[in-house]
Amino acid sequence: MRILALEASTTSVKAMLYDSETDKFESVAREYSDDYSTVEDVNQAEGVYQQMLAVGREVLNWRSVDAIALSGTWHSVFLCDQTMRPTTPVYLWNFTGAKDICKRYREDEAYVQRFYQRTGCMVNAIYPVFKLELLREMGLDVENSYIMSQGAYLTYRMTGERVSTRCLSSGSGLLNLHTREYDPEILAEHRIQEWQLSRLVDDGTAFPLRQEAANVLGVNSGIPVIPTNSDGGLNQVGVGAIRKGVATFSVGTSGAIRLSSDTPVIPDKPSTWCYLSPKAYLSGAATNGCCNCTDWVKHHFFPSGTSYAEIESGVAEEADTPVFLPFLFGERCPGWNDERRGGFLNVKASHSANDLYRAAQEGVLFNLYQCYKVLAEANGAPTEVMLSGGILKSPTWTQMAADIFGVRMSVNDVEQGSLLGAIILGMEQQGLIDDVRDYKPTVVRTIEPDLSRREFYEEKFARYLECYENNS
């Protein structure tokens, strides 16, 4: 039996093919072409779909497949007319055009609290509900349009069904986490009617593949297609973190810490988010600045061709590095301040460019540690932390993460967690496994914290928090 996973992420399309007879995985990934992704926070819905089919066809290479599972990102939104023709670009999670609208909403503390407690989402420009307000202010005909996400559009084009999984819709700001349905009060407040939204379905529901998509992929029509779930939710499945008490900690272009739970976990004070993943609730924190910040420092402060290892080896003032606030791209968790900006503080003439780089590494982790403390308070400390992302390319930075958090971190053998999560959901749907919760990847190494560095980093973290509070 073969299962195909297809994903449209923020910057690329991906495909993975699993063969149960050989227990082998094959994958292909391609960055979006300029024709369909003209700026970093906007895409073209149909172009993304076509490119996703192309990588699917490539990995299949004329082989048959028994099931398909889809993956995409949370928080995208665009409009279609009533023939399902897109009338706007796709506005991605990192499109912040609605920040002024959110600033006005945040002046009403009662609204912020009520919205957060019902949806698990903060009043922030990443959420589609506020992007729709912006489109209305731009003069677009929101009231007479279908409201789509990129993920729901992928499902529609492959199956003809205008549906969305509860997992994917939980990142829209329109879903009530407690009822797991669209929230009538929020829809009314934002002048949205339920007919405009995709019908909600459970995360493992499947629909038959349309002939048109089958022809492009080179497979039989009618095979089951599992609608798009979010890549963040599927990653929890793929790395074996659907189990309670297991935290995933990703430090890539952006950062995220996620914990699965059986019930919604929404702190009294808006700080972390809570969505749905397949089979569970997902309590988490996400940050905008991680490897994109260290890349920025490397690009602006070092000669072209300088390696990351060379930069790290040149740090001279480890005990007295500047403080770096990693908000070059705005703030998500924990403060959700669209207008917060980053940069270096406490810089001395004796500091070198290498020291600035180390400060950036520390600042990224301090922001995530700040989020981790809030999550641990709300959920309880995790029993296991799984580390992934670009941080693993740097042994120094990886060890720093374990030292700052003061916990053992494990690295597993999963390279494409969200794609693998989609495959595992397909395996359950096809009866190859009883429950996705049974899957647990192989741990290839562990990083033990150096507890002798605990006090050193706690003092640095205190300096970071002081600068953070004074920069609100």
Side-chain angles (χ1 to χ4, degrees), residues 67-70 155 159 161-167 180 199-209 223-229 234 278-279 422 425-426 428-430 436:
I68 298 172
L70 304 179
T155 302
T159 69
E161 298 286 342
R162 195 166 59 87
V163 298
S164 178
T165 61
R166 287 175 169 82
C167 168
R180 299 166 63 96
R199 176 169 59 89
L200 293 172
V201 295
D202 290 330
D203 305 324
T205 307
F207 299 94
L209 180 68
I223 60 176
V225 177
I226 298 175
T228 308
N229 285 285
L234 288 170
K279 308 292 183 179
L425 207 59
E428 183 189 68
Q429 195 272 337
Q430 288 290 297
V436 298

Side-chain angles (χ1 to χ4, degrees), residues 6-10 69-76 93 149-152 154-155 164-172 201-204 226-238 242 258 273-282 416-423 425:
L6 298 173
E7 178 174 301
S9 69
T10 304
L70 304 179
S71 172
T73 59
W74 272 310
H75 317 314
S76 68
W93 64 270
S149 66
Q150 177 72 72
L154 300 177
T155 302
S164 178
T165 61
R166 287 175 169 82
C167 168
L168 189 67
S169 293
S170 66
S172 67
V201 295
D202 290 330
D203 305 324
I226 298 175
T228 308
N229 285 285
S230 76
D231 53 0
L234 288 170
N235 184 73
Q236 294 295 108
V237 177
I242 289 293
R258 306 182 184 101
W273 46 258
C274 187
Y275 309 147
L276 286 162
S277 68
K279 308 292 183 179
Y281 289 88
L282 199 56
Q416 297 280 2
S418 53
L419 282 172
L420 180 56
I423 293 286
L425 207 59

Side-chain angles (χ1 to χ4, degrees), residues 74-122:
W74 272 310
H75 317 314
S76 68
V77 70
F78 68 104
L79 302 180
C80 286
D81 64 22
Q82 293 190 31
T83 68
M84 282 300 294
R85 180 181 63 87
T87 57
T88 71
V90 181
Y91 298 94
L92 302 175
W93 64 270
N94 51 346
F95 177 79
T96 60
K99 62 183 180 181
D100 291 337
I101 292 171
C102 292
K103 184 178 180 180
R104 295 198 298 268
Y105 273 110
R106 283 197 294 268
E107 293 173 357
D108 184 348
E109 292 186 8
Y111 172 85
V112 170
Q113 186 68 15
R114 179 166 48 83
F115 180 82
Y116 179 65
Q117 292 298 324
R118 294 169 81 97
T119 66
C121 304
M122 184 58 182

Side-chain angles (χ1 to χ4, degrees), residues 179-192:
T179 65
R180 299 166 63 96
E181 303 291 340
Y182 292 123
D183 191 298
E185 186 174 320
I186 290 173
L187 295 188
E189 286 177 336
H190 292 273
R191 292 180 287 168
I192 297 169

